[in-house]
Amino acid sequence: QVQLVESGGGLVQAGGSLRLSCAASGRTFGSYAMEWFRQAPGKEREFVAATRWNGGSTYYADSVKGRFTISRDNAKSTVYLQMNSLKPEDTAVYYCAAAMTVVVTTQKVGYWGQGTQVTVSS
């Protein structure tokens, strides 16, 4: 069992930066792939970024590649999403997720956080 709690969302102007954090509970955090998804109003939840259990490999949606960076600290059971050069279209609720392996669809995610709102103003 893994519980995930996101923080760090907020309101930022276009071109600005935010860093999201996701704190996990459970002794097996280090065995999970950790991911970020987002859901904008009226749209389906979509994959944003993922990192393997040891942080050795990272994956990004094309829409955020070069602007967002995912990282993890297994000693702190925390995963981060550094978001730079934010755009209004990045506005969404951002969800932290844990999966047994890297996935890009919601169906195979094992655990979800409650989400944190990110709003980018133009």
Side-chain angles (χ1 to χ4, degrees), residues 4-85:
L4 307 171
V5 179
E6 302 98 332
S7 61
L11 173 64
V12 64
Q13 289 188 333
S17 298
L18 281 175
R19 188 175 84 152
L20 305 183
S21 299
C22 172
S25 63
R27 293 180 293 176
T28 59
F29 172 81
S31 64
Y32 286 91
M34 295 302 298
E35 318 213 358
W36 290 94
F37 285 75
R38 68 185 180 186
Q39 187 166 18
K43 295 188 177 182
E44 293 186 351
R45 195 170 297 188
E46 64 176 5
F47 169 78
V48 175
T51 176
R52 291 195 182 277
W53 68 273
N54 62 357
S57 298
T58 55
Y59 307 85
Y60 299 94
D62 287 343
S63 58
V64 307
K65 204 171 292 184
R67 300 187 298 123
F68 290 12
T69 302
I70 188 171
S71 61
R72 67 189 294 164
D73 185 338
N74 285 350
K76 296 182 178 180
S77 296
T78 302
V79 62
Y80 306 97
L81 185 68
Q82 178 67 43
M83 305 185 295
N84 298 328
S85 302

